[in-house]
Amino acid sequence: MSRQIERWIHEWQDRSDEPVCAYVYDLEGIRNHVRKMLESMPEQTRLFYAIKANPDKRIIEALLPLVKGFEVASIGELLLVREVSESVPIVFGGPGKKDIELETALEKNVAYIHVESLLELRKIVMLAKERKRHIHVLLRINLRTNTLPQTKIAMGGRPSPFGLDESFIEEAIALLREEGNHYVHFAGFHFHSLSNNLQAELHAEMVELYLRKVEEWKRSYELDVQVINAGGGFGVSYDDTPGFNWQRFTGLLAESEAVRALGGTRLFFEPGRFIVADHGYYAAEVIDIKQSHDQWFAVIRGGTHHNRLPASWGHNHPFRVVPTDRWPYSFARPEISHASVTIVGELCTPKDRLHTDAQLESLRVGDVLLFEKSGAYCWTISHHDFLGHPHPKFHYITEGD
Ligand SMILES: *Cc1c(COP(=O)(O)O)cnc(C)c1O
């Protein structure tokens, strides 16, 4: 893979004076990765892709034949998926859904709405009745437990704006059973309690806890549960820590009594990061190398306005140097070797930093840095227009490339 990208970088520099600045998405890599994920999933499970991790249309198109459907969290995401397919199942979550979003969800035939509050449920009941549209809902629950794994991003098992507090389930069920409601159908529960969990064992335990909880509620409220959506949150390691072991996770699920006892109930997963992170690259050319107070800095064409993840998480983003021959000037090409270098972007803020004190054997102006693991929550979370630099190019690697 990186060979192909390196070749593409060299071709860019051969044909253009413009410094390299691009996202490269390996669509074939994503597809192969998802095929592999599906192979080990127990038959009761289904895979959705949470498009907020990377809503690039080409990625959605590439995944369409493989995944069961897509998770969306806004009207914009919903319509984007509907541009790609009129009929693929959509699950629609997110706090603060507006009336117009709920109406659109009804019109565009989403498979399930994830209910985030009692008020939202009342609105869905009202709108569905007005429009005479049937809709299935999953109640998103924030568990009252402190036994969930704690990761950098946690949405459940603690006070949070997401989902219904566990103690409101009874009221939600009562609302759905009110006489006037003929259109909104209870289908099950949704949980998404954390993001970037690296531990397969803890994740499997968490899913088992969800299943046990649902079993309790089923009995207490005499519910017919068709779907349990266990969310996403499978982690990607940006340093030397081992990544999430999917085979181990699905192996544990396959052995789990609670999963076997599901019967006809379907267990959904809706990862974002884990599906796309490893198959996106951010390539940026080195524009300047300078020393300041005994510290080396390399300035790239690009920065955190394109790839905000390292600034957002305060981590050093992994990258490789792609050496190139680009040097069109008559004066000496700045070069450093065996140095510790901080990689910064082109923005006028000290926050524009992608990697601090990288140990590099060699770096020259004109070389290109290839930031790996840039497929998820990188471009999409960035402040693209801050300072008005041109956006990066987007390049896709497809089958046969
Ligand atoms: C963001 C989100 C996901 C995807 O999370 P990842 O950590 O990228 O797997 C899934 N479900 C919901 C409800 C989300 O908000």
Side-chain angles (χ1 to χ4, degrees), residues 50 52-53 71 73 93-94 114 116 140 155 162 190-192 194-197 229 231-234 270-274 376-377:
K52 79 167 185 286
E71 191 266 352
H114 295 154
E116 298 265 353
R140 178 174 183 177
M155 280 75 74
F162 304 104
H190 172 245
F191 305 87
H192 174 70
L194 48 79
S195 187
N196 210 42
N197 180 26
N229 183 343
F234 310 98
E270 46 175 21
R273 185 188 312 275
F274 190 72
Y377 303 111

Side-chain angles (χ1 to χ4, degrees), residues 83-148:
E83 275 177 35
V84 173
S85 164
E86 272 300 311
S87 58
V88 68
I90 291 179
V91 293
F92 179 28
K97 296 185 196 74
K98 274 62 69 190
D99 289 13
I100 180 73
E101 292 183 296
L102 295 170
E103 287 163 17
T104 309
L106 294 172
E107 256 166 51
K108 297 283 176 183
N109 276 324
V110 314
Y112 303 99
I113 297 180
H114 295 154
V115 176
E116 298 265 353
S117 79
L118 290 174
L119 174 60
E120 186 175 296
L121 185 55
R122 286 197 179 92
K123 287 183 181 173
I124 297 169
V125 169
M126 177 195 80
L127 294 169
K129 188 172 175 182
E130 280 173 10
R131 282 166 180 67
K132 299 193 166 44
R133 300 289 293 230
H134 289 273
I135 181 78
H136 288 88
V137 294
L138 304 181
L139 302 179
R140 178 174 183 177
I141 305 300
N142 180 5
L143 290 176
R144 284 228 170 200
T145 169
N146 52 14
T147 59
L148 298 179

Side-chain angles (χ1 to χ4, degrees), residues 321-390:
V321 178
V322 179
T324 74
D325 294 331
R326 159 116 85 191
W327 189 251
Y329 309 103
S330 59
F331 31 86
R333 183 176 183 182
E335 170 169 3
I336 48 175
S337 50
H338 301 286
S340 163
V341 188
T342 289
I343 311 299
V344 299
E346 61 198 346
L347 302 181
C348 307
T349 158
K351 303 258 188 224
D352 191 14
R353 173 182 288 242
L354 293 94
H355 199 117
T356 301
D357 289 336
Q359 303 302 318
L360 298 185
E361 262 174 47
S362 161
L363 188 69
R364 297 166 301 174
V365 171
D367 288 344
V368 172
L369 303 186
L370 191 60
F371 291 88
E372 294 149 338
K373 297 174 188 272
S374 296
Y377 303 111
C378 285
W379 170 247
T380 187
I381 66 162
S382 305
H383 42 297
H384 308 149
D385 292 320
F386 184 45
L387 262 90
H389 291 288

Side-chain angles (χ1 to χ4, degrees), residues 125 129 177-183:
V125 169
K129 188 172 175 182
R177 285 178 173 160
E178 270 175 13
E179 252 173 57
N181 173 34
H182 305 294
Y183 292 95

